[in-house]
């Protein structure tokens, strides 16, 4: 395709703002949606950075697709910004785990594309993490070691880390900050997700997904190739309890 100079300048300006801010609105966002050459060039620039551009309402967002993208947040940056000084990679795995559980809680199955909950409370989020950890414990250590190789996920270390956190029965406000408890860890994950515009607080300890997140989940997160079957694994015990027939419900989608 032959591009006019105007289209090239618009696309480059759009890419530059996306790279700097992660989001663009206004005239440039409208040009992306209306002018095919601008959209094509912008997608090409973004794709060269192992990222994608997604449209949400009146805004455009830059989302890294792989760890190779320069826009991907490194493990060291996450630990430095959100976790305590002695944090390890296991803490990061636990943060990712809590995030997966939170996102999954908004949907009635890991194959749905529309949320069935409008919001979730911090306490409900904590309970859901406890449930998923309990389901992991249904596997013996040998099974978990085998599954660690299959999913490249440190399930045993996650269970041990979660068990080591204090399960203090206090209010949310008393467990935030530097307190090493399960709820304070959930709160740390919340701060990260809010900073990244994944969730938003609506008061009274209630959290809801942003429109940006709903689009990302619908386009990528529920795809089994993308999540590597982790959602199916985490919810498999619940499915067996609720739907005892092997060929029923979610099991019909197993690959």
């Amino acid at each position: 395709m032959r591009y006019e100079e105007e289209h090239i300048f618009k696309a480059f300006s759009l890419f530059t703002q996306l790279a700097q801010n992660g989001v663009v609105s206004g005239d440039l966002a409208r040009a992306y949606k209306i002018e095919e050459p601008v959209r094509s060039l912008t997608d090409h620039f973004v794709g060269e950075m192992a990222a994608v551009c997604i449209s949400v309402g009146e805004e455009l967002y830059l989302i890294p697709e792989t760890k190779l993208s320069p826009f991907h947040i490194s493990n060291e940056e996450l630990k430095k910004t959100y976790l305590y000084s002695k944090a390890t990679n296991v803490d990061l795995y636990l943060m990712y785990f809590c995030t997966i559980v939170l996102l999954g809680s908004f949907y009635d199955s890991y194959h749905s594309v529309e949320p069935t909950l409008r919001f979730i409370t911090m306490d409900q989020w904590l309970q859901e993490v406890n449930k998923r950890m309990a389901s992991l414990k249904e596997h013996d250590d040998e099974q978990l070691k085998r599954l660690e190789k299959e999913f490249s996920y440190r399930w045993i270390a996650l269970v041990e880390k979660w068990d080591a956190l204090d399960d203090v029965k206090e209010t949310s406000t008393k467990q935030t900050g530097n307190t090493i408890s399960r709820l304070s860890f959930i709160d740390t994950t919340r701060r990260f997700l809010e900073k990244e515009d994944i969730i938003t607080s609506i008061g009274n300890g209630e959290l809801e997904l942003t429109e940006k997140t709903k689009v990302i989940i619908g386009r990528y997160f529920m795809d089994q190739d993308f999540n590597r079957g982790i959602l199916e694994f985490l919810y498999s015990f619940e499915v067996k309890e609720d739907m005892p027939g092997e060929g029923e419900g979610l099991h019909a989608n197993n690959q």
Side-chain angles (χ1 to χ4, degrees):
M1 178 185 294
R2 183 178 180 84
Y3 295 102
E4 301 292 336
E5 184 177 274
E6 177 188 5
H7 296 146
I8 296 173
F9 280 124
K10 281 185 181 179
F12 187 73
S13 296
L14 180 51
F15 171 72
T16 301
Q17 289 192 31
L18 283 171
Q20 291 176 339
N21 307 316
V23 60
V24 167
S25 59
D27 291 341
L28 284 177
R30 284 189 287 275
Y32 177 89
K33 296 175 183 179
I34 297 172
E35 302 176 41
E36 198 280 331
V38 174
R39 181 168 60 254
S40 176
L41 268 175
T42 303
D43 288 342
H44 175 74
F45 293 153
V46 170
E48 289 295 308
M49 297 291 108
V52 294
C53 181
I54 66 169
S55 175
V56 182
E58 300 298 319
E59 298 177 316
L60 301 175
Y61 290 92
L62 181 67
I63 308 296
E65 276 197 303
T66 72
K67 292 182 179 180
L68 298 177
S69 173
F71 305 113
H72 177 76
I73 302 175
S74 69
N75 286 352
E76 291 307 312
E77 185 178 353
L78 275 173
K79 285 188 282 190
K80 180 180 179 181
T81 306
Y82 296 100
L83 297 171
Y84 38 89
S85 59
K86 295 183 179 180
T88 66
N89 284 343
V90 175
D91 294 279
L92 292 179
Y93 272 95
L94 186 55
M95 182 181 285
Y96 299 149
F97 182 90
C98 292
T99 299
I100 290 173
V101 172
L102 173 67
L103 298 179
S105 298
F106 280 92
Y107 295 79
D108 60 2
S109 81
Y110 56 83
H111 286 292
S112 64
V113 294
E114 294 294 335
T116 55
L117 286 181
R118 190 178 72 82
F119 64 86
I120 189 172
T121 67
M122 293 285 288
D123 286 336
Q124 288 171 330
W125 184 7
L126 174 61
Q127 291 169 17
E128 286 298 315
V129 175
N130 282 331
K131 284 171 62 178
R132 298 305 140 213
M133 287 295 183
S135 74
L136 287 177
K137 292 180 181 179
E138 295 291 327
H139 300 276
D140 59 36
D141 284 351
E142 288 304 314
Q143 286 179 308
L144 288 178
K145 287 178 182 178
R146 176 177 58 80
L147 291 165
E148 286 184 350
K149 295 179 181 179
E150 180 178 345
F151 293 105
S152 300
Y153 220 89
R154 300 175 61 182
W155 302 117
I156 294 175
L158 281 180
V159 171
E160 292 175 346
K161 181 69 179 183
W162 191 250
D163 283 347
L165 294 177
D166 293 332
D167 188 14
V168 184
K169 304 297 184 182
E170 296 183 73
T171 63
S172 300
T173 55
K174 292 182 180 179
Q175 295 191 62
T176 56
N178 295 322
T179 306
I180 306 301
S181 69
R182 293 178 181 178
L183 194 53
S184 70
F185 193 91
I186 290 289
D187 188 65
T188 296
T189 307
R190 174 197 61 78
R191 288 189 289 109
F192 162 67
L193 294 176
E194 283 199 70
K195 175 67 167 54
E196 294 301 314
D197 196 31
I198 302 299
I199 60 173
T200 185
S201 296
I202 56 176
N204 299 318
E206 297 170 349
L207 309 169
E208 65 179 9
L209 299 179
T210 63
E211 292 303 314
K212 163 189 167 182
T213 303
K214 293 175 186 177
V215 171
I216 294 173
I217 290 177
R219 188 174 299 182
Y220 300 105
F221 190 68
M222 293 302 174
D223 181 81
Q224 197 172 43
D225 289 336
F226 182 82
N227 64 53
R228 297 177 298 167
I230 288 176
L231 289 175
E232 180 178 4
F233 167 63
L234 288 180
Y235 287 86
S236 60
F237 276 87
E238 183 175 277
V239 171
K240 291 176 183 177
E241 293 170 2
D242 295 343
M243 304 176 184
E246 290 186 1
E248 298 177 9
L250 303 183
H251 286 289
N253 295 305
N254 288 357
Q255 295 182 2

